[in-house]
């Protein structure tokens, strides 16, 4: 089921507006609600669930995880966040929701900033050793 949900997430990814203010579905509270739906979807709990919103959240997070995996190629060898091995979209969605619940003052941000801040705070990379 998780593979099916992820496949749907990738297939239904929508193009986003580059407007300065987040679109209604991009705004923090709506996005976090979509992520809660995503967690329920991955747990096979779809009764009354917003499956389209779930797919939007999961695809956004999946894109961040993929992008972070290649960030070191263009960012002086550094990633934005350092995830444990075998980290899943399901785990990331839980991190995003937990972070949002702990930081409600940040929910005016769009979904990209919310995902980035949640993962950077939850999985910060170790500091580089000082040069000798």
């Amino acid at each position: 089921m998780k593979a099916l949900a992820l496949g749907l997430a990738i297939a239904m990814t929508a193009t986003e507006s580059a407007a300065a203010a987040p679109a209604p579905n991009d705004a923090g509270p709506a996005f976090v609600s979509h992520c809660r739906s995503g967690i329920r979807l991955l747990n096979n709990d779809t009764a009354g669930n917003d499956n389209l919103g779930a797919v939007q959240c999961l695809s956004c997070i999946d894109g961040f995880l993929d992008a972070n995996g290649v960030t070191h190629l263009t960012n002086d060898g550094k990633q934005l966040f350092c995830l444990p091995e075998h980290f899943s979209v399901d785990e990331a969605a839980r991190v995003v929701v937990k972070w949002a619940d702990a930081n409600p003052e940040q929910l005016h941000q769009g979904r990209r900033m919310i995902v980035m801040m949640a993962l950077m705070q939850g999985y910060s990379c170790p500091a580089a050793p000082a040069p000798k």
Side-chain angles (χ1 to χ4, degrees):
M1 183 66 183
K2 287 184 182 184
L4 174 62
L6 227 58
L8 285 172
I10 293 167
M12 297 179 71
T13 301
T15 304
E16 228 178 300
S17 167
N25 282 344
D26 188 40
F31 180 69
V32 174
S33 176
H34 295 271
C35 292
R36 291 182 203 285
S37 292
I39 293 166
R40 287 191 299 274
L41 179 64
L42 292 172
N43 288 334
N44 296 321
D45 177 13
T46 58
N49 204 21
D50 176 6
N51 292 334
L52 179 58
V55 167
Q56 290 173 341
C57 168
L58 298 174
S59 63
C60 177
I61 290 173
D62 190 46
F64 258 89
L65 298 180
D66 285 346
N68 189 61
V70 296
T71 301
H72 67 283
L73 298 174
T74 60
N75 192 27
D76 295 326
K78 299 174 193 165
Q79 292 184 308
L80 295 174
F81 40 89
C82 294
L83 301 172
E85 196 172 337
H86 306 296
F87 191 74
S88 70
V89 173
D90 182 15
E91 291 170 286
R94 293 175 192 282
V95 168
V96 168
V97 168
K98 183 177 178 181
W99 180 89
D101 288 346
N103 297 280
E105 73 283 357
Q106 294 295 329
L107 295 184
H108 66 282
Q109 303 285 348
R111 64 183 173 184
R112 291 181 193 103
M113 286 299 295
I114 289 171
V115 173
M116 185 175 69
M117 290 187 295
L119 293 174
M120 286 179 75
Q121 184 175 332
Y123 295 94
S124 60
C125 296
K132 294 180 181 183

